[in-house]
């Protein structure tokens, strides 16, 4: 037993439920499954709990949903007693919080660390899942729950020559546990998504010189982070329960005023004032929810996109650099909007150079740095902020086989198909937390995690109460749901962007808009209605 976590059990041990992953999802699953009196075993590849917040230790890592929202709501004493220090907490503070949760609710004894699940096969004869690990152990379980994360399979582009590089390189989501000192170093950062935008100002402040290799610019808005206002905290905690309920019923899992006007129902001055107010408040939600049609038509979106482009040009002194930083290839909000602290101003520093690798692509990593089509760059450290194989990556990395030995990966070759993002037809008793086809990454993910886990554990409780032990999505219900997810997505601008939401960042991955954009509240209502109607669209059996 390390750290109070469970040691590997003997091969062949049976559990009521096996859970893959010990992030926000895995921890809450232990809590809820134990409340049902079930035996539960969590298998986690990392050496600690925390998931995203265990792995992403790069300088500047913090969340972009405010601390008072980005935490569990299931235990009132926990949410009342925990005190966040900042409006947007840093990675280390979120990791401390999750470790506190693991200790407070005595969850560690259910967790086997440093172990990767390699296969999960459904055995029709015994109606159990056989789960295999990279340690060679095999367990069986009645339920198998994938809490393996939407953003946990890292992507390092296969640039030729990386093995020749004499300096050091790191992917931001596999950052060392000891600080990396950039003082006096020539550093290259590849990637300008949410991660790049957080890490770049931090590296620039230390490095001798920083080259940022940008292929596609992203829209970024200021966080206006600072210490958490204690009056605000006190006020919110006094009405936390109602506030949390409003979050669960909201569009993105964060309570906020919904827009009542279309863009063309306001004058140019009124629009400017509204966008300015959202900009001054900080974060992305108010900007996106300024008008009803911002994510629906290009014309409406242009108004807010132009507003942000003007902000970029107002900050960045070199007009050519400012031009390169202005996104033009996607409507604002159709890729995850980045939330930054001093990102654009970083390009006014004399030790920072922006390199456009769209016009002159990276050709190889050399022994001494990086070569683009047109130039060589000498570097001591390379930082890959190149993202993830999102939503399906961690599921497809496991050899998951359902009824008749059908492989999930093969079944999803043309894009993931689920019923409600919770289950897959042909894979009985296998649940996916925040799976494709649910609001998941389009939301305050902690709210979506709680909703999914409460639905899953209520479902299992229902089965047990009825003397049943198997649940499976019907193929027909799944087809209908997939069509609905696609139809709703197509009423928005989201499918237009080459984003990780569509799998476009992974060469060869089928381009499908994966999350459900119907909103957290409406989606939760659909899930609840399905359960009320005796799990409509699922087949329940003994
Ligand atoms: P994860 O935290 O990803 O945990 C999954 C765990 O499963 C990982 O620890 C992984 O090691 C393990 N695992 C995967 N496959 C296997 C396997 N085969 N065997 C064993 N273990 C396995 N969301 C927001 O709502 N707001 C934010 O501000 C926000 N900020 C983010 C910042 C960063 C840098 C990143 C990367 C993501 C951010 N997210 C944010 C999304 C974030 O992933 C979720 O909010 C949340 O932490 C997901 O929790 P989870 O437990 O579902 O998955
Ligand atoms: O990953 P990304 P991320 N050559 O995929 C570039 C969450 N998150 O880690 O767009 C050159 O967004 C790629 O360029 P392009 C959040 O949900 C939240 O930044 O493919 N460049 C892009 O610029 C987020 O959306 C926070 O042209 C290459 C970058 O790498 C999600 O995690 C913080 C390349 C990847 O951007 C993922 O964000 C961090 C190549 N071959 C993360 N390959 C918060 O603040 C890739 N790129 C909450």
């Amino acid at each position: 037993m390390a750290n109070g976590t469970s040691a590997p059990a003997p091969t062949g041990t049976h559990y009521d439920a096996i859970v893959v992953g010990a992030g926000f999802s895995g921890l809450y699953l232990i809590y809820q499954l134990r409340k049902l009196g079930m035996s539960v075993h969590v298998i986690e590849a990392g050496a600690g709990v925390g998931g995203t917040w265990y792995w992403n230790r790069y300088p500047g890592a913090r969340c972009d949903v405010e601390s008072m929202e980005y935490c569990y709501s299931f235990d009132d004493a926990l949410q009342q007693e925990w005190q966040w220090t900042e409006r947007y907490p840093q990675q280390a503070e979120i990791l401390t919080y999750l470790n506190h949760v693991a200790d407070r609710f005595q969850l560690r004894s259910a967790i086997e660390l440093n172990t990767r699940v390699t296969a999960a096969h459904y055995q029709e004869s015994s109606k159990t899942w056989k789960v295999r690990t990279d340690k060679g152990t095999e367990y069986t379980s009645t339920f198998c729950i994938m809490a393996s994360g939407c953003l946990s399979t890292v992507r390092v582009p296969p640039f030729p020559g990386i093995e020749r590089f004499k300096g050091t390189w790191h992917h931001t989501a596999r950052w060392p546990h000891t600080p990396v000192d950039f003082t006096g170093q020539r550093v290259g950062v590849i990637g300008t998504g949410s991660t790049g935008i957080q890490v770049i100002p931090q590296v620039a402040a230390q490095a001798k010189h920083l080259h940022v290799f940008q292929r596609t610019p992203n829209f970024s808005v200021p966080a206006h982070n600072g210490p958490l206002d204690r009056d605000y905290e006190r006020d919110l905690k006094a009405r936390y329960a109602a506030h949390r309920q409003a979050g669960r019923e909201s569009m993105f899992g964060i309570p906020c005023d919904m827009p009542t006007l279309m863009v063309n129902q306001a004058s140019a001055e009124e629009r400017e004032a509204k966008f300015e107010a959202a900009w001054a408040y900080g974060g992305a939600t108010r900007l996106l929810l300024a008008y009803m049609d911002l994510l629906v038509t290009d014309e409406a979106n242009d108004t807010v996109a132009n507003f942000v482009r003007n902000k970029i040009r107002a900050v960045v002194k070199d007009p050519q650099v400012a031009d390169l930083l202005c996104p033009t290839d996607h409507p604002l909000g159709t890729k995850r909007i980045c939330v930054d602290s001093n990102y654009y101003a970083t390009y006014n520093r004399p030790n920072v150079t922006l390199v456009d690798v769209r016009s002159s692509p990276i050709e190889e990593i050399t022994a001494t740095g990086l070569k683009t089509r047109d130039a060589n760059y000498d570097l001591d450290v390379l930082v890959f902020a190149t993202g993830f194989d999102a939503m399906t990556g961690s599921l497809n990395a496991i050899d998951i086989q359902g009824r008749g030995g059908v492989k999930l990966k093969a079944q999803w070759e043309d894009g993931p198909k689920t019923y409600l993002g919770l289950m897959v037809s042909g894979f009985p008793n296998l649940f996916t937390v925040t799976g494709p086809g649910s609001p998941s990454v389009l939301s305050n993910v902690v709210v979506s995690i709680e909703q999914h886990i409460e639905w899953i554990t209520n479902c299992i409780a229902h089965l047990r109460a009825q003397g049943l032990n198997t649940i499976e999505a019907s193929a027909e219900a799944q087809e209908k749901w997939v069509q609905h997810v696609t139809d709703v997505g197509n009423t928005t601008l989201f499918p237009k962007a080459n984003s990780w939401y569509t799998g476009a960042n992974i060469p060869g991955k089928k381009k499908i808009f994966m999350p459900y954009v119907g909103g957290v509240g409406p989606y939760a209502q659909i899930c609840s209605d399905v359960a009320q109607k005796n799990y409509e669209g699922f087949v329940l059996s003994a």
Side-chain angles (χ1 to χ4, degrees):
M1 296 251 278
N3 230 353
T5 49
S6 71
T11 275
T13 307
H14 182 83
Y15 296 95
D16 292 326
I18 287 184
V19 172
V20 183
F24 265 103
S25 300
L27 293 178
Y28 187 38
L29 272 161
I30 304 171
Y31 177 85
Q32 283 292 355
L33 291 166
R34 278 185 177 164
K35 269 199 354 194
L36 298 181
M38 292 172 66
S39 60
V40 48
H41 191 61
V42 173
I43 303 171
E44 166 56 57
V49 302
T52 287
W53 306 104
Y54 169 83
W55 294 107
N56 289 266
R57 295 164 186 254
Y58 59 86
R62 60 176 78 244
C63 68
D64 65 3
V65 170
E66 295 188 25
S67 51
M68 296 289 289
E69 316 287 347
Y70 190 73
C71 51
Y72 293 116
S73 67
F74 69 84
D75 185 86
D76 193 47
L78 170 69
Q79 68 176 4
Q80 291 295 338
E81 285 164 29
W82 185 264
Q83 278 210 313
W84 295 102
T85 61
E86 288 180 283
R87 182 175 169 192
Y88 299 96
Q90 287 193 46
Q91 168 269 334
E93 189 172 13
I94 305 172
L95 186 58
T96 303
Y97 168 77
L98 287 169
N99 274 287
H100 169 78
V101 169
D103 291 332
R104 183 177 180 122
F105 299 103
Q106 289 146 34
L107 308 179
R108 290 187 197 275
S109 58
I111 306 169
E112 179 180 344
L113 296 173
N114 297 306
T115 310
R116 185 167 284 282
V117 171
T118 54
H121 295 176
Y122 186 64
Q123 307 176 107
E124 290 188 60
S125 53
S126 57
K127 293 192 169 182
T128 55
W129 282 89
K130 185 187 270 187
V131 174
R132 199 173 309 134
T133 75
D134 61 355
K135 299 266 167 69
T137 37
E138 272 183 4
Y139 308 120
T140 60
S141 63
T142 309
F143 298 96
C144 182
I145 309 179
M146 294 295 166
S148 46
C150 289
L151 293 161
S152 62
T153 300
V154 303
R155 159 139 175 95
V156 179
F159 297 118
I162 185 80
E163 68 291 345
R164 286 200 302 266
F165 185 51
K166 292 208 178 90
T168 49
W169 68 271
H170 308 285
H171 189 285
T172 45
R174 291 293 177 271
W175 203 258
H177 288 209
T178 47
V180 178
D181 186 7
F182 296 105
T183 313
Q185 305 279 292
R186 297 161 304 172
V187 185
V189 173
I190 303 174
T192 51
S194 297
T195 301
I197 275 165
Q198 288 185 327
V199 80
I200 284 164
Q202 302 285 322
V203 175
Q206 257 192 11
K208 182 171 166 198
H209 199 93
L210 168 64
H211 281 95
V212 176
F213 298 96
Q214 173 189 270
R215 188 165 64 181
T216 318
N218 276 293
F219 290 101
S220 189
V221 300
H224 299 312
N225 189 31
L228 186 64
D229 181 330
R230 292 293 160 213
D231 291 336
Y232 166 75
E233 181 193 4
R234 239 186 322 277
D235 169 59
L236 198 61
K237 282 187 173 173
R239 52 186 175 83
Y240 224 173
H243 182 83
R244 290 310 192 109
Q245 187 53 31
R248 284 190 277 272
E249 290 168 8
S250 71
M251 195 65 192
F252 299 125
I254 302 166
C256 47
D257 296 335
M258 289 304 284
T260 52
L261 295 180
M262 310 279 254
V263 157
N264 63 12
Q265 291 175 302
S267 68
E269 293 72 30
E270 284 164 341
R271 281 201 299 266
E272 194 71 4
K274 194 148 203 178
F275 294 152
E276 279 292 353
W279 189 267
Y281 180 79
T285 314
R286 290 194 180 192
L287 203 61
L288 279 175
L289 291 178
Y291 294 98
M292 289 159 74
D293 48 350
L294 289 180
L295 286 168
V296 181
T297 70
D298 283 313
E299 298 69 35
N301 194 277
D302 282 347
T303 61
V304 68
N306 283 335
F307 172 83
V308 175
R309 285 190 280 258
N310 287 339
K311 287 286 183 194
I312 298 171
R313 292 200 172 94
V315 173
V316 180
K317 291 188 182 134
D318 180 331
Q320 274 182 333
V321 176
D323 263 357
L324 274 179
L325 288 168
C326 285
T328 51
D329 73 318
H330 65 277
L332 181 139
T334 56
K335 284 173 129 181
R336 172 91 176 197
I337 298 187
C338 308
V339 179
D340 72 271
S341 298
N342 299 320
Y343 175 63
Y344 293 115
T346 300
Y347 292 94
N348 294 332
R349 297 177 64 107
N351 69 332
V352 176
T353 308
L354 182 64
V355 182
D356 175 19
V357 295
R358 169 75 58 195
S359 63
S360 176
I362 298 171
E363 287 191 337
E364 60 174 323
I365 310 295
T366 64
T368 53
L370 180 155
K371 182 178 179 308
T372 65
R373 196 184 60 201
D374 300 325
N376 274 299
Y377 298 88
D378 286 335
L379 303 167
D380 304 306
V381 187
L382 250 177
V383 175
F384 287 86
T386 45
F388 303 87
D389 182 355
M391 304 208 71
T392 53
S394 63
L395 297 168
N396 284 338
I398 303 171
D399 172 22
I400 300 175
Q401 297 186 18
R403 218 183 264 292
V406 170
K407 288 177 183 281
L408 184 74
K409 192 175 174 184
Q411 190 155 312
W412 281 8
E413 212 160 317
D414 288 330
K417 288 189 171 183
T418 68
Y419 182 33
L420 299 171
L422 280 160
M423 293 199 91
V424 183
S425 176
F427 295 79
N429 287 3
L430 179 88
F431 293 98
T432 51
V433 179
T434 64
S438 73
S440 157
V441 291
L442 295 180
S443 67
N444 172 359
V445 182
V446 181
V447 171
S448 289
I449 286 170
E450 288 194 330
Q451 184 261 333
H452 260 194
I453 288 170
E454 284 157 22
W455 192 95
I456 292 167
T457 49
N458 284 337
C459 168
I460 293 174
H462 173 81
L463 290 175
R464 288 157 70 96
Q466 304 295 314
L468 305 172
N469 57 14
T470 308
I471 177 164
E472 181 179 349
S474 81
E476 194 193 5
Q478 178 167 287
E479 281 307 315
K480 268 196 198 157
W481 181 252
V482 171
Q483 192 56 50
H484 176 64
V485 171
T486 308
D487 291 345
V488 177
N490 286 341
T491 64
T492 72
L493 298 172
F494 277 99
K496 285 186 124 182
N498 284 324
S499 64
W500 58 259
Y501 293 147
T502 65
N505 64 326
I506 303 296
K509 191 166 171 175
K510 178 83 177 176
K511 199 178 159 200
I512 302 266
F513 181 64
M514 294 183 280
Y516 179 55
V517 72
V520 167
Y523 167 80
Q525 189 59 53
I526 294 170
C527 292
S528 162
D529 291 347
V530 163
Q532 286 294 317
K533 293 182 196 156
N534 200 22
Y535 293 88
E536 190 178 46
F538 291 97
V539 180
L540 280 54
S541 58

